[in-house]
Amino acid sequence: MNKFLLATLLLTATATQAAHHEMGHMHSPKSHLHDTMVDGQKLSVDAERFDNFVNAVLGDQIVVISVQGMVCDFCARGIEKTFGKDSTVTKIDVDLASGKVLLAFAPETEINRAGIKQNILNNGLNTVAIQFVGK
Amino acid sequence: MANSGAQSDNIYWHFTPNIKYSLGLDYQKDKISGEAFPSARLTYLINRKNTATSQRNLYVKTGFGLDSSDNHFYSLSGDWETRRLFGSFSAKQVSGIGYDLFEQRVKLGVAPYLGAYGDLHTWLMIESKKDDLDDKRITYPVLRFFKGGGLIEVGYHKKTDWDIHLMYRF
């Protein structure tokens, strides 16, 4: 009986999540802001995710942080919590799959690259790259 | 954090001032001796290696009884995980709680799907442990679920019955 309950619970969770992820991979034919060239490099971010993020904070400065060691939700929550305390940050998005953290800052904000790296390090993770979009 | 297993139940609060260490208070009710053991605990991160797809950690942990320093433990533990795979080990020496105990644990896991941030995450795991009290290795399945700041882990072995682990990160 116990084995049956465990198996049922597992199958339900797996099926629900699989359906959710299939929907998440559908791309909209909207704008292609993710193609923005930054520091001479092309951004490697989830296209739809990035476009949605930028469209929600039009006019703000966008920073894309590539992070090492971000393998679970607890890491991601720590990052979100840390930057959430920063009043100059207008929006945060953490993408576990690509190891990217997207931050939006108000247009007049002087962005502190060293401060961003330190905040990531304080969460036990490492910053590989910080890219500024549109600067 | 709360655990309920064959040998003891315990509840543990800890605070992590920085990534290198955490300080905590533990209240353990031992099922073998029948006694309660409140203790202060320290966890120190010896080494962490982050890569684009993985994180590996090595920790030392120790705890001392609040009512008697004869009650103490120390352990060495480590883990390695990607979004798909998980492995951990621990070796723990416990003394003064009515008996001495050396315990070894190994756990391996796989995630059947890769959830995005905020989704329900599921892990299928297998845990193997051996201690001095019963010098025989037991191996059993464990299911881990976590979502947001909450984690629940449930293991079952016919000999030791249920092994339940609850955790919430604020």
Side-chain angles (χ1 to χ4, degrees):
Chain A
M1 186 60 181
N2 288 330
K3 288 176 185 172
F4 175 75
L5 282 173
L6 284 174
T8 305
L9 189 60
L10 179 65
L11 285 172
T12 305
T14 304
T16 305
Q17 292 302 313
H20 176 74
H21 294 136
E22 280 173 22
M23 291 180 71
H25 287 143
M26 292 168 68
H27 284 242
S28 74
K30 290 198 304 181
S31 61
H32 292 277
L33 293 169
H34 56 276
D35 287 335
T36 307
M37 301 296 283
V38 180
D39 300 336
Q41 296 178 357
K42 208 163 193 174
L43 289 171
S44 66
V45 293
D46 179 280
E48 185 182 358
R49 192 180 190 114
F50 183 75
D51 289 352
N52 288 339
F53 184 86
V54 172
N55 285 328
V57 287
L58 286 174
D60 281 3
Q61 303 177 76
I62 309 296
V63 175
V64 181
I65 312 163
S66 300
V67 177
Q68 284 190 332
M70 191 166 67
V71 293
C72 74
D73 265 32
F74 287 160
C75 306
R77 266 171 63 88
I79 297 270
E80 193 173 64
K81 198 172 164 185
T82 298
F83 287 106
K85 291 175 184 169
D86 184 342
S87 60
T88 65
V89 175
T90 55
K91 188 171 171 65
I92 307 163
D93 183 56
V94 181
D95 186 359
L96 269 181
S98 65
K100 306 285 185 194
V101 178
L102 305 180
L103 298 178
F105 291 87
E108 69 279 6
T109 305
E110 191 69 33
I111 298 171
N112 180 354
R113 183 187 286 260
I116 291 173
K117 282 184 84 168
Q118 189 60 48
N119 279 338
I120 298 290
L121 191 61
N122 289 345
N123 278 280
L125 308 175
N126 298 113
T127 303
V128 180
I130 301 177
Q131 295 175 290
F132 293 82
V133 179
K135 288 205 82 176
Chain B
M1 189 184 301
N3 293 285
S4 179
Q7 287 172 359
S8 64
D9 294 334
N10 79 305
I11 186 158
Y12 173 54
W13 300 268
H14 73 103
F15 172 66
T16 306
N18 65 51
I19 60 164
K20 291 301 281 184
Y21 68 94
S22 76
L23 302 166
L25 291 172
D26 185 70
Y27 182 84
Q28 178 179 325
K29 177 76 175 176
D30 193 84
K31 291 180 178 175
I32 297 170
S33 65
E35 295 183 49
F37 299 101
S39 63
R41 288 172 57 165
L42 168 71
T43 300
Y44 182 76
L45 174 66
I46 301 171
N47 179 263
R48 169 171 289 173
K49 173 72 175 172
N50 290 320
T51 74
T53 56
S54 71
Q55 184 178 97
R56 184 204 68 206
N57 299 293
L58 190 63
Y59 298 98
V60 283
K61 300 176 184 179
T62 187
F64 290 90
L66 295 176
D67 49 2
S68 167
S69 60
D70 289 341
N71 305 332
H72 61 272
F73 83 88
Y74 49 89
S75 76
L76 178 70
S77 62
D79 60 65
W80 172 87
E81 69 178 298
T82 68
R83 296 186 67 222
R84 177 71 74 184
L85 301 170
F86 176 90
S88 71
F89 77 91
S90 76
K92 182 179 183 181
Q93 176 68 50
V94 182
S95 301
I97 58 168
Y99 54 90
D100 288 352
L101 176 72
F102 179 68
E103 179 190 77
Q104 308 163 58
R105 287 176 184 250
V106 175
K107 189 186 284 182
L108 298 171
V110 61
Y113 60 87
L114 297 182
Y117 174 42
D119 287 348
L120 172 69
H121 297 264
T122 304
W123 286 87
L124 309 177
M125 309 179 111
I126 188 160
E127 180 160 13
S128 183
K129 64 180 180 182
K130 183 180 176 184
D131 61 50
D132 290 346
L133 292 181
D134 184 8
D135 193 23
K136 189 177 176 185
R137 180 168 295 281
I138 62 167
T139 302
Y140 52 95
V142 175
L143 271 177
R144 173 189 286 180
F145 299 102
F146 74 94
K147 182 175 172 60
L151 178 149
I152 180 168
E153 209 173 88
V154 181
Y156 181 78
H157 187 274
K158 61 185 177 187
K159 184 178 174 190
T160 57
D161 214 1
W162 296 97
D163 195 357
I164 299 169
H165 175 65
L166 300 168
M167 181 164 75
Y168 192 82
R169 276 196 187 187
F170 295 95

